[in-house]
Amino acid sequence: MQKALIYFVLGTAVSFLINYFLLSSESIALEIYYAVAFGAAWAVAYYLDTPDITLPKKLGLSFIVMAILVFIGTLIFKLELAIPSILKFSMVFVAYYVIASFRATKSLRK
């Protein structure tokens, strides 16, 4: 759990810094929201990276986290601005498991 929190903090910080300094930002709150979505994706992917959890459960939990992100984003911003958080989350989540698939253990934890 501690490493998942580290993934969350580092993913959020790196994403925010890249978006803030290299890309044009509409608002600082929106950039923080997208960075949190990015960090959450890395943390959830790392946390679920265990053979004890089945693939359907991994997908279900990731969809629940995406729904929470959209709900929170819709409360703070408009739905149109909340949707890109799902794209960021799902891209990172899939990328994590694609990278893990190249390893012999099929996991980035080991």
Side-chain angles (χ1 to χ4, degrees):
M1 185 68 162
Q2 287 179 336
K3 275 195 166 180
L5 288 174
I6 291 171
Y7 271 70
F8 173 73
V9 170
L10 289 177
T12 301
V14 168
S15 176
F16 175 76
L17 292 173
I18 288 172
N19 287 333
Y20 185 74
F21 289 113
L22 298 179
L23 305 173
S24 63
S25 28
E26 295 177 24
S27 74
I28 193 81
L30 189 61
E31 293 302 328
I32 292 170
Y33 171 68
Y34 290 154
V36 166
F38 188 87
W42 278 110
V44 170
Y46 179 81
Y47 183 73
L48 296 176
D49 186 16
T50 177
D52 300 338
I53 301 174
T54 63
L55 183 60
K57 192 178 276 191
K58 288 177 185 181
L59 293 174
L61 290 172
S62 71
F63 282 127
I64 289 170
V65 174
M66 285 190 280
I68 291 169
L69 282 170
V70 169
F71 178 74
I72 292 170
T74 305
L75 289 177
I76 299 171
F77 309 105
K78 296 185 289 190
L79 181 62
E80 295 84 20
L81 296 175
I83 296 297
S85 70
I86 295 174
L87 299 174
K88 290 177 186 293
F89 184 93
S90 60
M91 285 187 337
V92 170
F93 197 80
V94 169
Y96 181 95
Y97 284 104
V98 167
I99 293 167
S101 72
F102 290 114
R103 299 204 42 186
T105 61
K106 304 296 182 209
S107 172
L108 293 182
R109 278 191 167 193
K110 298 177 184 177

